[in-house]
Every structure is written in structure tokens, then in C-alpha cells.
Amino acid sequence: MCPHEPPCPPADAHDREAARTVAAHPEQGWSLLCNGVVLFEDTGELLPNGVVIDPHRPLPLVGAA
């Protein structure tokens, strides 16, 4: 499915976010990756099979300046 060498990780892989961007819409806050994943700027994801991955931003450190 992926025409790139090496091929992009599939949508069900843990490293799916490493796939190449094929359409970027930063003004709308999302990008379409080569593997069919829609990646949102809040780090949420929509997989091609309709599964929603909640945002997974790292939490700030307590007391960090």
C-alpha cells in the first residue's frame, strides 16, 4: 500500500505516527498520514478502521519553571 522505501508503519503499529504526511491542514489542526491515519494537533488520532485514539500529550512536570 505504501509507495515509500522503507515503507511507512501500518496504521495498527505502535509507531504509526512515523508515517509520512500526505496532506497537511495546519489551519484546521490535522494531517493525513500515508498509512491512512488522521493525526490531530492535540495528538489525538483517527485510524482508518474508525478507532479513535485519545490525545496523549505528555503531562507537564510538577514544579517545572
Side-chain angles (χ1 to χ4, degrees):
M1 179 173 160
C2 176
H4 306 110
E5 284 299 328
C8 293
D12 59 354
H14 291 292
D15 60 346
R16 64 183 155 261
E17 295 175 12
R20 292 190 187 186
T21 301
V22 294
H25 294 277
E27 72 283 358
Q28 296 175 355
W30 63 273
S31 297
L32 175 64
L33 304 181
C34 180
N35 55 10
V37 172
V38 177
L39 180 63
F40 296 96
E41 69 180 15
D42 69 354
T43 69
E45 301 171 26
L46 178 60
L47 304 184
N49 63 2
V51 172
V52 174
I53 307 295
D54 290 330
H56 48 276
R57 289 185 185 176
L59 297 175
L61 295 175
V62 176

